[in-house]
Amino acid sequence: MTNSTEKRANSPVAWSSRRGRSVGSSRGSSPSIRNPSEREKEHATIQDIIRLSKERHYTTGKKVPLFFEHLACFQVRAAAVQFPQRFKLGLSMEDGKDYMDLLEHCIHNCTQENCPALETIRLQITAQATAFLELKACAEERVNEAKVLQTILADIPQIQVIDMRETFKTVELLHGRILDYMMECGRQIADNVDVTEEMEAEITTTFKSIFPQESCLFWMDLPSAEKERQVVDIAAVIQGVRIYNKHLSKGGKTLSLPFDLYKQEKKMLSEKVLQLLQILNERTHVSASAITLHIHSLGIQHVLIQRLRDELNYHLQAFAILEDFQSFLDERFAFVTDLMDQFSWKLNVLCDIISDRPCVATELVFPQFKALGNLHKSMLEELRLLRAHQRACIPFLSMAAEPQFDCTPTGFANLWKKTGWTINYHTDWKNSPLGLAKLKVLIMYTTFLQKDLYNVTWDENDALIKAGSSNEGEGRVLTSCEIDAAFESEREIHLGGYCPVTLAKYRGLLLHGDPDVGLVEFEEKLFAFSTEEDLREFARSPSLFLRTVENVVHKMPQLVHLLRLQQCPKLLSLAISEIIDLLSEPFSCEFSTQTAIHIGQPHRWTDEAFYERALELQNKLTDSTQTETSYFKRTSSTQVAYELYAFL
C-alpha cells in the first residue's frame, strides 16, 4: 500500500468523492483565492438565508434539515453559475434589489419539499460533510492523545538528581513517571477505557522486567532527545511482549487484537452496503424502464418524465457514492490484511528466536517486539478509522434507503390506485393497442406531481444539436487495442461514464455508456456511448455536444458531482469539498452586530497549530532576570515598560 493511498484514506472525503477529478482536468487546479471581504460577504449571505428560512418555514416546530448551512452556500453559488449577470458572488445589502432577489431565489430552492433534485444535492452534501466531521473528530482525538503523551514525555528528561541524598527518591520518581507513560499508552491502545487492575499489573510487570529501576541512575546521563526516543521504543516493546504472551496463552488477557474486530465490523458494514446497492439497482432499473416506455409518447418536457428523470438521478447518485464506499472498504481491508500478514510473520519469527531458550539476547528480540507493537498500533488506527466511517455513513445510508420524497408509482395498478380513477380494464386497456388508458392515467397523475427544480426549456440547445456540425475538430474513435490499453492503464471515462449524447438530447437524462460500443477520445478525455449511432454523431461534432452538456449542467447543478465535474474550472465553486472548507473556517465578524471579532486577517489557528506552536516555544526557555542591558526592563509594581531613555 502506497503512502498516497494511506493519505487518501485519511481524507475527509475519501470515499464520497473518490473519482472527483475528471480526465483531462488539472490535478493541481484550485479555486481562485478571493479576498477576506468577499468571503465574509458570502458568509453574511448564508446567515441571512438561514435566518429568513427559519422565520418563514421552520417556525412551527419543524426541524431545520441537516447541513442546511452547506445547502444554502451551494444554492448561492449555483445561482451565480446559472445567472452570472444577475447574481454574482459577493453580493451584499448594498446591492439592493439584486441581493434581495438572490435571497428569495435561494430560500425558495432550499425549502422545497418532495423534490428529488434538491434531495440529490442534500445527499451529496450529507455524504461529504458527515465524512469530514467524523474524520476531523477522529483526528482531534489522536491529537489530544498525543498531547497527553507528550506532556508526560516532556517531564521525564527534566527529572535529575540535584541532591545526592535524594538519589534513590529521584530514581523512584523517574521510574514512576516512565511507568505513567506506559500506562497511558496501554489505555489508548485499549480504546481509551480505564486501566483495570489486571492491565496495570501486566504492564507494570512487563515494564520492570524490561527496564528495572536500578538502570534509571545511569539512564539519567543520556541526552534528552535520546531519553524520549528510548521511552517511545520501550512502550512499543512492552506492547509487543504483551502480544507475544497472549499468543502463548501466558498473559495478555486484557489485550484485544484489532484485526478480528476489524474483519467482523467491516463484514457487517459491507453487507449493509451491498444490500442497499441491490435495492438501488432495482430502483434505477424500474425508473429507467418507465422513462423508456413513456418518453416517446409524453416527451422529455412532460412533468412526469422530468420527475422520473430526477428520481433516477437521485438513485444513480446514491448508487455511485455507495459503490465508491464499498471500493474504499475493500481497499482498506486489503491494507489491513497486509498488516496482519506482517504481524503474523513477526510473531512467527519471535517464536523461532525464543523457542525453549531460557535466555535470549535483547538485541535479537527487542527489534521484533518493537515492530510487533507498532504493527498492532497501526491496525488499531485502521479500526478507529473504520468506525469513524461507519458513523459517517449512517445518515447517508438512511437517506439512500428512504428518500425524502414520494417516489412516483410506475406500475399500472399503483397509478390506478393513486389517482382513484375508475376504468374498465377490458375495454379501456386490453383492447387499446396504444395503451391509451394507461396514458390517460399517467397524464392525470401528473396533477399530483410538483413542478420540480432546475427544469428549463433550452431551445437554443435544440437548435445547436439540429444544426448537426461543428468546425472545431472531430473526436478520434479508439481501436479495440487502444480500448484495452486504456482499461489496463485505468484511464477514467469522462462524465462518470454516462453518454454525452443522451445527456444533451434529453436534457439531463443519464444513461450509462457501453465501452463495448466504443470509446471516443477528444481533448485527452474518453467518452462512452449507449449506441453506435450516438458514438458516430458525437465523433463528428464533439465540441457541439460538450457545450450543450455544459449548459445542461449549469441549469441542473445537482448533476455536477454525479458527472464528476466538480474539478472543472467553471464549476469549481460548486465543489462541496470547497464549501465544507469555507464553512469550517472561523468567522471574522459577528453577524448580529457586524462587528469584527479579529482585527486584520481572519483568525486561522487550529488546535493542532496551537499545540505545535506550544511545543516550539517550550524549547525556547528564557530567563526572567532583568539586567541593566535588558530590552524588556519594566517596573515590578505596574508591569509597565520604562521610558525609552532608561535604556540609553
Side-chain angles (χ1 to χ4, degrees):
M1 187 63 60
T2 61
N3 292 332
S4 61
T5 303
E6 297 179 27
K7 291 179 181 178
R8 187 170 65 249
N10 294 317
S11 171
V13 287
W15 51 267
S16 55
S17 59
R18 288 163 60 84
R19 291 176 288 180
R21 187 179 63 86
S22 59
V23 175
S25 64
S26 175
R27 182 182 294 270
S29 62
S30 59
S32 57
I33 300 176
R34 295 182 291 133
N35 57 54
S37 62
E38 291 181 348
R39 287 197 298 267
E40 295 311 321
K41 287 180 180 179
E42 189 171 7
H43 277 302
T45 304
I46 295 168
Q47 294 301 317
D48 285 339
I49 293 173
I50 295 173
R51 176 177 56 81
L52 293 175
S53 298
K54 289 181 178 179
E55 292 176 357
R56 299 180 185 179
H57 302 278
Y58 303 106
T59 56
T60 59
K62 195 174 181 181
K63 189 176 180 181
V64 178
L66 190 65
F67 302 116
F68 190 80
E69 186 178 27
H70 299 74
L71 179 62
C73 184
F74 185 92
Q75 296 293 356
V76 170
R77 296 184 170 201
V81 171
Q82 292 174 314
F83 311 102
Q85 301 300 326
R86 185 180 179 190
F87 301 137
K88 297 181 180 179
L89 287 177
L91 288 179
S92 64
M93 289 293 293
E94 299 174 355
D95 296 293
K97 187 177 183 302
D98 287 343
Y99 183 71
M100 298 308 298
D101 290 344
L102 173 64
L103 294 182
E104 293 296 334
H105 174 83
C106 294
I107 292 171
H108 176 266
N109 288 354
C110 287
T111 56
Q112 287 289 316
E113 296 181 356
N114 195 23
C115 176
L118 182 61
E119 293 303 321
T120 301
I121 299 173
R122 283 183 176 154
L123 187 76
Q124 297 162 351
I125 292 175
T126 301
Q128 296 196 41
T130 52
F132 174 83
L133 293 178
E134 288 296 338
L135 292 180
K136 180 182 178 181
C138 187
E140 290 176 350
E141 182 182 0
R142 290 198 296 265
V143 170
N144 293 332
E145 291 176 353
K147 287 181 182 179
V148 175
L149 292 175
Q150 185 62 34
T151 301
I152 301 174
L153 195 61
D155 292 342
I156 294 175
Q158 307 300 326
I159 302 176
Q160 298 288 340
V161 176
I162 299 176
D163 190 346
M164 294 299 296
R165 292 171 294 182
E166 303 291 335
T167 299
F168 292 106
K169 186 181 293 186
T170 305
V171 168
E172 185 177 354
L173 176 63
L174 176 61
H175 196 263
R177 196 56 176 159
I178 299 175
L179 182 58
D180 290 341
Y181 184 89
M182 305 304 158
M183 290 296 178
E184 179 61 26
C185 289
R187 185 187 69 83
Q188 294 181 9
I189 290 174
D191 214 2
N192 290 312
V193 299
D194 294 334
V195 177
T196 62
E197 294 182 1
E198 188 176 4
M199 183 190 302
E200 182 177 357
E202 182 182 354
I203 294 176
T204 302
T205 302
T206 307
F207 173 65
K208 290 182 177 179
S209 65
I210 294 174
F211 193 75
Q213 185 171 323
E214 296 79 13
S215 60
C216 288
L217 186 60
F218 307 98
W219 191 77
M220 287 184 183
D221 296 331
L222 295 175
S224 298
E226 181 63 21
K227 289 180 183 179
E228 294 181 1
R229 187 190 66 80
Q230 289 193 13
V231 170
V232 175
D233 289 347
I234 291 172
V237 170
I238 289 176
Q239 187 63 19
V241 172
R242 294 178 66 197
I243 294 170
Y244 179 76
N245 290 337
K246 184 179 182 68
H247 177 69
L248 298 180
S249 301
K250 295 182 179 180
K253 295 181 180 179
T254 60
L255 181 67
S256 60
L257 298 179
F259 179 74
D260 294 335
L261 290 174
Y262 189 99
K263 185 177 180 180
Q264 180 181 1
E265 294 182 15
K266 186 265 178 185
K267 180 181 178 182
M268 294 176 59
L269 183 58
S270 293
E271 288 177 352
K272 291 181 181 179
V273 172
L274 293 175
Q275 183 179 5
L276 187 52
L277 280 173
Q278 184 177 359
I279 294 174
L280 290 173
N281 188 40
E282 294 175 357
R283 290 177 181 173
T284 55
H285 178 72
V286 170
S287 297
S289 299
I291 293 173
T292 303
L293 183 62
H294 302 295
I295 191 172
H296 296 293
S297 57
L298 298 179
I300 188 61
Q301 295 185 9
H302 195 278
V303 63
L304 177 63
I305 301 301
Q306 292 178 351
R307 176 79 176 195
L308 289 171
R309 176 203 63 193
D310 289 338
E311 291 179 11
L312 173 63
N313 293 346
Y314 180 90
H315 299 319
L316 288 173
Q317 180 64 84
F319 188 91
I321 295 176
L322 277 179
E323 195 175 36
D324 285 346
F325 184 43
Q326 183 59 43
S327 299
F328 171 80
L329 291 177
D330 294 339
E331 183 181 283
R332 299 314 299 171
F333 183 70
F335 176 69
V336 174
T337 303
D338 182 61
L339 288 179
M340 189 59 193
D341 292 340
Q342 299 179 43
F343 182 87
S344 301
W345 180 74
K346 290 291 182 183
L347 202 55
N348 293 332
V349 170
L350 273 172
C351 292
D352 293 339
I353 294 176
I354 298 175
S355 187
D356 297 331
R357 297 182 179 88
C359 183
V360 182
T362 57
E363 57 268 17
L364 292 179
V365 293
F366 273 24
Q368 305 300 328
F369 281 131
K370 176 184 173 182
L372 204 60
N374 289 332
L375 287 171
H376 180 271
K377 185 177 180 180
S378 298
M379 285 191 288
L380 181 62
E381 290 297 325
E382 288 294 328
L383 178 60
R384 291 182 178 179
L385 184 66
L386 174 66
R387 289 173 175 173
H389 286 298
Q390 280 180 315
R391 295 189 297 269
C393 72
I394 289 175
F396 170 78
L397 292 177
S398 177
M399 293 179 66
E402 300 178 0
Q404 300 300 309
F405 57 85
D406 297 330
C407 293
T408 305
T410 53
F412 178 70
N414 290 334
L415 286 171
W416 184 10
K417 181 178 179 181
K418 181 73 176 179
T419 58
W421 184 48
T422 304
I423 62 173
N424 189 319
Y425 177 80
H426 294 285
T427 59
D428 293 343
W429 167 251
K430 188 175 181 180
N431 297 332
S432 174
L434 299 178
L436 294 179
K438 186 174 184 180
L439 185 58
K440 289 181 180 179
V441 175
L442 289 172
I443 295 175
M444 288 188 63
Y445 178 64
T446 58
T447 60
F448 294 86
L449 295 178
Q450 178 189 14
K451 187 66 176 178
D452 215 344
L453 288 178
Y454 310 126
N455 285 325
V456 183
T457 302
W458 302 300
D459 296 332
E460 68 276 10
N461 292 348
D462 294 339
L464 284 173
I465 294 175
K466 290 177 181 178
S469 64
S470 174
N471 297 325
E472 299 182 16
E474 297 183 352
R476 186 175 68 86
V477 181
L478 270 62
T479 63
S480 58
C481 294
E482 290 176 328
I483 293 176
D484 294 338
F487 278 104
E488 289 178 1
S489 61
E490 297 183 352
R491 287 188 63 183
E492 187 176 345
I493 299 179
H494 196 48
L495 300 178
Y498 294 102
C499 177
V501 177
T502 304
L503 180 62
K505 283 186 174 181
Y506 294 98
R507 298 170 181 171
L509 181 61
L510 299 182
L511 187 62
H512 277 291
D514 185 3
D516 293 336
V517 172
L519 297 177
V520 173
E521 183 178 23
F522 181 69
E523 295 181 350
E524 299 182 355
K525 301 173 185 177
L526 297 181
F527 297 89
F529 305 90
S530 57
T531 63
E532 294 183 0
E533 181 181 355
D534 290 342
L535 183 147
R536 291 191 295 269
E537 195 171 354
F538 180 86
R540 287 195 299 268
S541 306
S543 58
L544 178 68
F545 283 98
L546 292 181
R547 283 199 302 271
T548 307
V549 168
E550 180 181 344
N551 193 14
V552 170
V553 173
H554 284 180
K555 302 299 182 182
M556 303 176 65
Q558 70 269 26
L559 297 180
V560 171
H561 288 77
L562 184 53
L563 298 176
R564 319 282 184 180
L565 296 175
Q566 61 267 36
Q567 294 301 322
C568 293
K570 294 182 179 179
L571 301 171
L572 195 55
S573 62
L574 296 180
I576 294 176
S577 59
E578 302 295 334
I579 294 175
I580 292 173
D581 291 340
L582 172 71
L583 297 181
S584 63
E585 293 181 358
F587 296 157
S588 63
C589 67
E590 203 277 317
F591 288 102
S592 61
T593 62
Q594 291 297 309
T595 303
I597 297 175
H598 302 287
I599 299 175
Q601 295 294 327
H603 186 63
R604 298 179 181 276
W605 285 95
T606 62
D607 291 341
E608 185 175 359
F610 271 128
Y611 176 62
E612 293 176 354
R613 179 62 175 165
L615 292 180
E616 179 183 350
L617 295 178
Q618 191 174 18
N619 298 325
K620 297 180 179 180
L621 300 179
T622 59
D623 191 350
S624 61
T625 304
Q626 296 182 358
T627 65
E628 293 297 331
T629 59
S630 174
Y631 288 95
F632 298 96
K633 193 174 180 181
R634 58 192 177 186
T635 61
S636 300
S637 59
T638 63
Q639 293 295 307
V640 177
Y642 289 129
E643 297 295 334
L644 180 61
Y645 61 80
F647 297 101
L648 301 178

